[in-house]
mmCIF file of all heavy atoms in Angstrom:
data_model
loop_
_atom_site.group_PDB
_atom_site.id
_atom_site.type_symbol
_atom_site.label_atom_id
_atom_site.label_comp_id
_atom_site.label_asym_id
_atom_site.label_seq_id
_atom_site.Cartn_x
_atom_site.Cartn_y
_atom_site.Cartn_z
ATOM 1 N N TRP T 21 58.212 25.442 14.381
ATOM 2 C CA TRP T 21 57.816 24.653 15.585
ATOM 3 C C TRP T 21 58.779 23.568 15.908
ATOM 4 O O TRP T 21 59.042 23.414 17.132
ATOM 5 C CB TRP T 21 56.409 24.180 15.362
ATOM 6 C CG TRP T 21 55.964 23.276 16.571
ATOM 7 C CD1 TRP T 21 55.991 21.886 16.543
ATOM 8 C CD2 TRP T 21 55.536 23.730 17.822
ATOM 9 N NE1 TRP T 21 55.569 21.506 17.791
ATOM 10 C CE2 TRP T 21 55.299 22.583 18.591
ATOM 11 C CE3 TRP T 21 55.389 24.980 18.382
ATOM 12 C CZ2 TRP T 21 54.890 22.596 19.931
ATOM 13 C CZ3 TRP T 21 54.969 25.064 19.742
ATOM 14 C CH2 TRP T 21 54.694 23.850 20.518
ATOM 15 N N PRO T 22 59.241 22.746 14.993
ATOM 16 C CA PRO T 22 60.227 21.665 15.380
ATOM 17 C C PRO T 22 61.422 22.180 16.159
ATOM 18 O O PRO T 22 61.877 21.556 17.082
ATOM 19 C CB PRO T 22 60.524 21.013 14.022
ATOM 20 C CG PRO T 22 59.427 21.303 13.098
ATOM 21 C CD PRO T 22 58.982 22.673 13.578
ATOM 22 N N ALA T 23 61.968 23.285 15.764
ATOM 23 C CA ALA T 23 63.134 23.871 16.474
ATOM 24 C C ALA T 23 62.790 24.317 17.858
ATOM 25 O O ALA T 23 63.500 24.075 18.801
ATOM 26 C CB ALA T 23 63.671 25.046 15.668
ATOM 27 N N PHE T 24 61.606 24.936 17.978
ATOM 28 C CA PHE T 24 61.062 25.332 19.347
ATOM 29 C C PHE T 24 60.834 24.097 20.183
ATOM 30 O O PHE T 24 61.234 24.116 21.357
ATOM 31 C CB PHE T 24 59.757 26.126 19.112
ATOM 32 C CG PHE T 24 59.122 26.484 20.459
ATOM 33 C CD1 PHE T 24 59.536 27.618 21.120
ATOM 34 C CD2 PHE T 24 58.058 25.799 20.935
ATOM 35 C CE1 PHE T 24 58.933 27.978 22.324
ATOM 36 C CE2 PHE T 24 57.413 26.139 22.153
ATOM 37 C CZ PHE T 24 57.904 27.257 22.801
ATOM 38 N N GLU T 25 60.263 23.077 19.604
ATOM 39 C CA GLU T 25 59.910 21.862 20.349
ATOM 40 C C GLU T 25 61.213 21.211 20.833
ATOM 41 O O GLU T 25 61.348 20.686 21.956
ATOM 42 C CB GLU T 25 59.127 20.935 19.470
ATOM 43 C CG GLU T 25 58.612 19.647 20.088
ATOM 44 C CD GLU T 25 57.724 18.869 19.130
ATOM 45 O OE1 GLU T 25 58.013 18.866 17.841
ATOM 46 O OE2 GLU T 25 56.892 18.161 19.627
ATOM 47 N N LYS T 26 62.247 21.156 19.940
ATOM 48 C CA LYS T 26 63.525 20.567 20.339
ATOM 49 C C LYS T 26 64.154 21.380 21.431
ATOM 50 O O LYS T 26 64.763 20.841 22.391
ATOM 51 C CB LYS T 26 64.439 20.516 19.115
ATOM 52 C CG LYS T 26 65.762 19.929 19.348
ATOM 53 C CD LYS T 26 66.680 19.852 18.143
ATOM 54 C CE LYS T 26 68.026 19.239 18.403
ATOM 55 N NZ LYS T 26 68.952 19.349 17.304
ATOM 56 N N LEU T 27 64.104 22.778 21.360
ATOM 57 C CA LEU T 27 64.658 23.610 22.404
ATOM 58 C C LEU T 27 64.108 23.324 23.727
ATOM 59 O O LEU T 27 64.690 23.249 24.786
ATOM 60 C CB LEU T 27 64.519 25.083 22.043
ATOM 61 C CG LEU T 27 64.899 26.102 23.084
ATOM 62 C CD1 LEU T 27 66.364 26.093 23.375
ATOM 63 C CD2 LEU T 27 64.425 27.501 22.626
ATOM 64 N N PHE T 28 62.708 23.212 23.774
ATOM 65 C CA PHE T 28 62.031 23.012 25.044
ATOM 66 C C PHE T 28 62.108 21.596 25.550
ATOM 67 O O PHE T 28 61.876 21.355 26.734
ATOM 68 C CB PHE T 28 60.505 23.421 24.868
ATOM 69 C CG PHE T 28 60.241 24.848 25.160
ATOM 70 C CD1 PHE T 28 61.139 25.807 24.703
ATOM 71 C CD2 PHE T 28 59.187 25.203 25.925
ATOM 72 C CE1 PHE T 28 60.863 27.189 25.003
ATOM 73 C CE2 PHE T 28 58.902 26.569 26.243
ATOM 74 C CZ PHE T 28 59.800 27.576 25.763
ATOM 75 N N GLY T 29 62.465 20.648 24.750
ATOM 76 C CA GLY T 29 62.655 19.267 25.146
ATOM 77 C C GLY T 29 61.371 18.540 25.515
ATOM 78 O O GLY T 29 60.258 19.060 25.380
ATOM 79 N N LYS T 30 61.519 17.283 25.948
ATOM 80 C CA LYS T 30 60.310 16.448 26.254
ATOM 81 C C LYS T 30 59.459 16.970 27.374
ATOM 82 O O LYS T 30 58.268 16.827 27.374
ATOM 83 C CB LYS T 30 60.817 15.021 26.575
ATOM 84 C CG LYS T 30 61.347 14.269 25.415
ATOM 85 C CD LYS T 30 61.787 12.896 25.875
ATOM 86 C CE LYS T 30 62.313 12.130 24.620
ATOM 87 N NZ LYS T 30 62.621 10.709 25.003
ATOM 88 N N GLN T 31 60.152 17.680 28.365
ATOM 89 C CA GLN T 31 59.393 18.163 29.497
ATOM 90 C C GLN T 31 58.711 19.497 29.248
ATOM 91 O O GLN T 31 57.883 19.958 30.042
ATOM 92 C CB GLN T 31 60.291 18.267 30.735
ATOM 93 C CG GLN T 31 60.908 16.947 31.126
ATOM 94 C CD GLN T 31 59.794 15.913 31.416
ATOM 95 O OE1 GLN T 31 58.834 16.160 32.063
ATOM 96 N NE2 GLN T 31 60.048 14.659 30.943
ATOM 97 N N GLY T 32 59.120 20.240 28.167
ATOM 98 C CA GLY T 32 58.506 21.500 27.862
ATOM 99 C C GLY T 32 59.065 22.643 28.639
ATOM 100 O O GLY T 32 58.360 23.630 28.950
ATOM 101 N N ALA T 33 60.380 22.640 28.924
ATOM 102 C CA ALA T 33 61.048 23.639 29.702
ATOM 103 C C ALA T 33 60.244 23.939 31.007
ATOM 104 O O ALA T 33 59.142 23.459 31.190
ATOM 105 C CB ALA T 33 61.191 24.949 28.836
ATOM 106 N N CYS T 34 60.835 24.538 31.852
ATOM 107 C CA CYS T 34 60.169 25.000 33.138
ATOM 108 C C CYS T 34 59.087 24.112 33.605
ATOM 109 O O CYS T 34 57.938 24.560 33.812
ATOM 110 C CB CYS T 34 59.706 26.442 32.983
ATOM 111 S SG CYS T 34 61.046 27.598 32.552
ATOM 112 N N ALA T 35 59.339 22.817 33.769
ATOM 113 C CA ALA T 35 58.358 21.839 34.346
ATOM 114 C C ALA T 35 57.027 21.715 33.520
ATOM 115 O O ALA T 35 56.007 21.755 34.129
ATOM 116 C CB ALA T 35 58.118 22.148 35.774
ATOM 117 N N GLY T 36 57.186 21.650 32.239
ATOM 118 C CA GLY T 36 55.954 21.518 31.448
ATOM 119 C C GLY T 36 55.179 22.741 31.156
ATOM 120 O O GLY T 36 54.032 22.670 30.790
ATOM 121 N N CYS T 37 55.758 23.933 31.329
ATOM 122 C CA CYS T 37 55.013 25.131 31.082
ATOM 123 C C CYS T 37 54.608 25.384 29.590
ATOM 124 O O CYS T 37 53.522 25.846 29.305
ATOM 125 C CB CYS T 37 55.862 26.330 31.568
ATOM 126 S SG CYS T 37 55.086 27.891 31.308
ATOM 127 N N TRP T 38 55.533 25.091 28.731
ATOM 128 C CA TRP T 38 55.334 25.326 27.335
ATOM 129 C C TRP T 38 54.906 26.770 27.043
ATOM 130 O O TRP T 38 54.096 27.101 26.186
ATOM 131 C CB TRP T 38 54.408 24.334 26.686
ATOM 132 C CG TRP T 38 54.985 23.001 26.547
ATOM 133 C CD1 TRP T 38 54.821 21.914 27.401
ATOM 134 C CD2 TRP T 38 55.898 22.549 25.514
ATOM 135 N NE1 TRP T 38 55.572 20.841 26.980
ATOM 136 C CE2 TRP T 38 56.242 21.234 25.797
ATOM 137 C CE3 TRP T 38 56.436 23.177 24.350
ATOM 138 C CZ2 TRP T 38 57.118 20.462 25.013
ATOM 139 C CZ3 TRP T 38 57.273 22.439 23.604
ATOM 140 C CH2 TRP T 38 57.607 21.086 23.947
ATOM 141 N N CYS T 39 55.432 27.673 27.911
ATOM 142 C CA CYS T 39 55.132 29.168 27.689
ATOM 143 C C CYS T 39 53.595 29.497 27.788
ATOM 144 O O CYS T 39 53.129 30.311 26.961
ATOM 145 C CB CYS T 39 55.759 29.713 26.428
ATOM 146 S SG CYS T 39 56.627 31.248 26.744
ATOM 147 N N THR T 40 52.987 28.796 28.679
ATOM 148 C CA THR T 40 51.496 29.129 28.867
ATOM 149 C C THR T 40 51.149 29.798 30.141
ATOM 150 O O THR T 40 50.050 30.188 30.378
ATOM 151 C CB THR T 40 50.716 27.757 28.785
ATOM 152 O OG1 THR T 40 51.171 26.897 29.811
ATOM 153 C CG2 THR T 40 50.803 27.106 27.412
ATOM 154 N N TYR T 41 52.174 30.014 31.006
ATOM 155 C CA TYR T 41 51.976 30.597 32.383
ATOM 156 C C TYR T 41 51.115 31.910 32.263
ATOM 157 O O TYR T 41 50.208 32.106 33.086
ATOM 158 C CB TYR T 41 53.263 30.812 33.132
ATOM 159 C CG TYR T 41 53.185 31.326 34.493
ATOM 160 C CD1 TYR T 41 52.701 30.553 35.521
ATOM 161 C CD2 TYR T 41 53.460 32.661 34.741
ATOM 162 C CE1 TYR T 41 52.560 31.040 36.815
ATOM 163 C CE2 TYR T 41 53.340 33.191 35.978
ATOM 164 C CZ TYR T 41 52.955 32.372 37.052
ATOM 165 O OH TYR T 41 52.792 32.906 38.280
ATOM 166 N N TRP T 42 51.566 32.800 31.442
ATOM 167 C CA TRP T 42 50.930 34.115 31.323
ATOM 168 C C TRP T 42 49.630 34.116 30.460
ATOM 169 O O TRP T 42 48.892 35.056 30.355
ATOM 170 C CB TRP T 42 51.838 35.172 30.758
ATOM 171 C CG TRP T 42 53.085 35.394 31.623
ATOM 172 C CD1 TRP T 42 54.388 35.061 31.272
ATOM 173 C CD2 TRP T 42 53.182 35.906 32.926
ATOM 174 N NE1 TRP T 42 55.260 35.406 32.240
ATOM 175 C CE2 TRP T 42 54.507 35.911 33.321
ATOM 176 C CE3 TRP T 42 52.202 36.407 33.834
ATOM 177 C CZ2 TRP T 42 54.945 36.415 34.565
ATOM 178 C CZ3 TRP T 42 52.638 36.863 35.069
ATOM 179 C CH2 TRP T 42 54.041 36.870 35.370
ATOM 180 N N ARG T 43 49.359 32.967 29.852
ATOM 181 C CA ARG T 43 48.291 32.895 28.929
ATOM 182 C C ARG T 43 46.993 32.351 29.426
ATOM 183 O O ARG T 43 45.927 32.506 28.811
ATOM 184 C CB ARG T 43 48.692 32.018 27.658
ATOM 185 C CG ARG T 43 49.783 32.599 26.859
ATOM 186 C CD ARG T 43 50.194 31.771 25.692
ATOM 187 N NE ARG T 43 51.148 32.517 24.895
ATOM 188 C CZ ARG T 43 50.852 33.466 23.986
ATOM 189 N NH1 ARG T 43 49.628 33.723 23.719
ATOM 190 N NH2 ARG T 43 51.754 34.127 23.349
ATOM 191 N N MET T 44 46.969 31.761 30.574
ATOM 192 C CA MET T 44 45.771 31.094 31.075
ATOM 193 C C MET T 44 45.662 31.280 32.624
ATOM 194 O O MET T 44 46.702 31.437 33.271
ATOM 195 C CB MET T 44 45.669 29.616 30.687
ATOM 196 C CG MET T 44 46.732 28.782 31.092
ATOM 197 S SD MET T 44 46.641 27.004 30.622
ATOM 198 C CE MET T 44 46.741 27.058 28.844
ATOM 199 N N PRO T 45 44.452 31.322 33.195
ATOM 200 C CA PRO T 45 44.326 31.399 34.566
ATOM 201 C C PRO T 45 45.018 30.329 35.362
ATOM 202 O O PRO T 45 45.192 29.183 34.800
ATOM 203 C CB PRO T 45 42.797 31.303 34.832
ATOM 204 C CG PRO T 45 42.214 31.712 33.475
ATOM 205 C CD PRO T 45 43.181 31.240 32.434
ATOM 206 N N ARG T 46 45.472 30.588 36.532
ATOM 207 C CA ARG T 46 46.334 29.691 37.291
ATOM 208 C C ARG T 46 45.771 28.219 37.386
ATOM 209 O O ARG T 46 46.528 27.359 37.185
ATOM 210 C CB ARG T 46 46.608 30.233 38.729
ATOM 211 C CG ARG T 46 47.507 29.457 39.527
ATOM 212 C CD ARG T 46 48.903 29.336 38.898
ATOM 213 N NE ARG T 46 49.715 28.365 39.559
ATOM 214 C CZ ARG T 46 50.840 28.715 40.178
ATOM 215 N NH1 ARG T 46 51.317 29.932 40.193
ATOM 216 N NH2 ARG T 46 51.578 27.774 40.739
#
């Protein structure tokens, strides 16, 4: 997780998505 968190940065990649776009309703 720390490596993933560092890769995504403070903003969470893609404007704060944190790879949840496909996981929850819009």
Side-chain angles (χ1 to χ4, degrees):
W21 174 261
F24 177 81
E25 187 176 32
K26 181 179 178 186
L27 172 65
F28 270 44
K30 289 182 181 184
Q31 300 303 316
C34 303
C37 178
W38 287 98
C39 224
T40 59
Y41 181 74
W42 299 114
R43 293 182 174 278
M44 56 180 69
R46 182 63 189 240

